[in-house]
Amino acid sequence: MRILSASDHIDASEPRVTATIGMFDGMHLGHITLINALKEEASKRGQSSAIVTFRQHPQEVVNPSRPPRAIMTLDKKVEAIEACSPTFLILLDFNERLSKLSAREFMELLHQQYNVTTLVMGYNHRFGHERNTTFAHYVEQGRLAGVEVIKAPEYLGQYAPVSSSIVRQLIAGGRVEDAMNCMGHPFELSGTVVHGFHNGRGIGFPTANVGEISPSIILPHNGAYAVMVYVDGAWHKGMVNIGRRPTLDNGDDISIEVNIFDFDSDIYGKPITLHFIRFLRLEFKLGSIEQLRQQLTHDKQLSITILDKYIANKS
């Protein structure tokens, strides 16, 4: 996959390009359906395939006071797109200039700069400043721009309908298993192990405090989750608590504390990645440290059952 920016171009002497446009946040099953349609149409025409996406969400420019939280970082999105093997990834900055382009003007840009002659539009996708328009309007504006516009099939699988907005709502509500089903992969948080309160070791559940998470990434609802943990070059089973740790009176700051099962290495300062597999319970205050220990013991046993099943189903 060749990554192109606004300063690059595809020469007219190179093969023509079939492209699609979108944010591709979360790379869910609807996106996979669209990319498969893109590659099929490109193959039928003997053309290269290109995915056009943006470094930042358009709402950061159009509605900067309320931009949506991202499901994945830009680096992870690029990695996920590369796994789909398009010929090109056209990665643009969504700025004020782009926000003012009409659909025809944007297609003209793609045609003139990147040799795009076919555009596969995602189901219900809209682009251009006149977004309240019909598919027939895109077809006509594409004809004027020298681009054939085709509608991709809708994802109609078991977990339809799927959209980034739906996935975002599921994660925010703690429904990480449903989000995983919609995406075809777990929701992921990556950060660095930093020093925390060090309370867990004293009750038999040492935790790694996950910090330095991108502030643009959405967090699951406060509570406990069964997670797969990648740290120090290997995957481990674990459970994580997101919240304020009310039983231990650790204040109002949100912490992300992961207990990695059967693991006792020094990982401070190392990168860590969590894959959220299932919600366990809401965070609540218990009457004593002993009650907390009993609850954590139950959470661990439940997590092992959940994670063993998840691993078995993957293999």
Side-chain angles (χ1 to χ4, degrees):
M1 182 182 79
R2 182 177 158 198
I3 301 178
L4 305 176
S5 67
S7 60
D8 296 313
H9 73 281
I10 299 174
D11 193 88
S13 63
E14 297 185 61
R16 293 180 175 182
V17 175
T18 299
T20 192
I21 307 167
M23 269 306 297
F24 296 94
D25 188 22
M27 280 297 288
H28 54 65
L29 296 176
H31 293 140
I32 300 302
T33 298
L34 173 58
I35 292 171
N36 287 341
L38 164 74
K39 294 169 70 175
E40 181 180 344
E41 293 294 340
S43 178
K44 283 196 299 188
R45 290 165 172 74
Q47 297 185 348
S48 299
S49 59
I51 292 175
V52 182
T53 192
F54 307 100
R55 294 181 183 276
Q56 55 283 109
H57 199 286
Q59 288 298 315
E60 292 183 34
V61 174
V62 176
N63 187 17
S65 63
R66 297 187 64 185
R69 290 289 187 97
I71 301 167
M72 55 173 42
T73 64
L74 177 61
D75 286 346
K76 285 295 181 180
K77 180 169 78 170
V78 170
E79 182 181 308
I81 290 173
E82 185 170 24
C84 296
S85 302
T87 313
F88 301 104
L89 170 60
I90 301 173
L91 187 57
L92 304 176
D93 287 306
F94 193 89
N95 50 33
E96 188 174 357
R97 181 183 72 85
L98 276 187
S99 73
K100 293 179 178 178
L101 294 183
S102 66
R104 175 179 172 180
E105 289 169 334
F106 190 62
M107 285 189 279
E108 287 174 340
L109 181 154
L110 295 180
H111 179 60
Q112 294 165 10
Q113 187 167 345
Y114 302 107
N115 206 18
V116 172
T117 58
T118 308
L119 181 66
V120 181
M121 281 191 62
Y123 185 80
N124 280 342
H125 182 64
R126 298 289 184 269
F127 65 93
H129 70 73
E130 76 287 37
R131 293 167 69 91
N132 293 323
T133 188
T134 64
F135 178 71
H137 173 80
Y138 286 107
V139 172
E140 175 60 18
Q141 295 305 301
R143 185 186 66 79
L144 295 172
V147 176
E148 179 187 9
V149 178
I150 299 169
K151 182 182 287 186
E154 180 184 8
Y155 167 69
L156 295 173
Q158 180 180 357
Y159 301 103
V162 173
S163 70
S164 295
S165 295
I166 289 172
V167 172
R168 209 172 280 120
Q169 290 168 9
L170 291 172
I171 294 167
R175 295 170 59 186
V176 294
E177 185 176 21
D178 290 334
M180 176 171 61
N181 289 334
C182 288
M183 291 189 289
H185 58 86
F187 170 66
E188 175 180 304
L189 276 182
S190 293
T192 303
V193 179
V194 298
H195 286 282
F197 295 105
H198 304 288
N199 291 324
R201 187 171 296 276
I203 58 174
F205 291 89
T207 59
N209 189 55
V210 183
E212 299 181 10
I213 293 171
S214 171
S216 67
I217 297 297
I218 192 167
L219 294 180
H221 194 283
N222 286 3
Y225 298 83
V227 293
M228 294 298 299
V229 185
Y230 187 79
V231 68
D232 226 9
W235 285 100
H236 306 270
K237 290 176 277 191
M239 59 184 181
V240 67
N241 185 78
I242 299 178
R244 296 179 172 84
R245 298 159 54 95
T247 305
L248 298 173
D249 294 323
N250 288 139
D252 292 330
D253 291 339
I254 298 293
S255 66
I256 301 174
E257 300 274 351
V258 58
N259 173 233
I260 308 172
F261 303 155
D262 303 316
F263 183 84
D264 194 27
S265 297
D266 183 2
I267 53 174
Y268 286 113
K270 293 188 176 183
I272 187 169
T273 295
L274 309 180
H275 280 186
F276 286 73
I277 308 304
R278 190 181 299 178
F279 175 79
L280 298 175
R281 59 174 175 83
L282 290 171
E283 186 178 50
F284 53 87
K285 186 168 184 175
L286 292 157
S288 67
I289 295 299
E290 181 55 34
Q291 287 180 352
L292 176 60
R293 183 184 291 110
Q294 292 173 6
Q295 180 63 57
L296 293 176
T297 300
H298 172 77
D299 292 343
K300 180 176 180 178
Q301 291 170 345
L302 179 57
S303 294
I304 290 171
T305 300
I306 290 166
L307 297 171
D308 283 346
K309 183 178 179 181
Y310 168 74
I311 292 168
N313 289 339
K314 280 191 67 179
S315 58

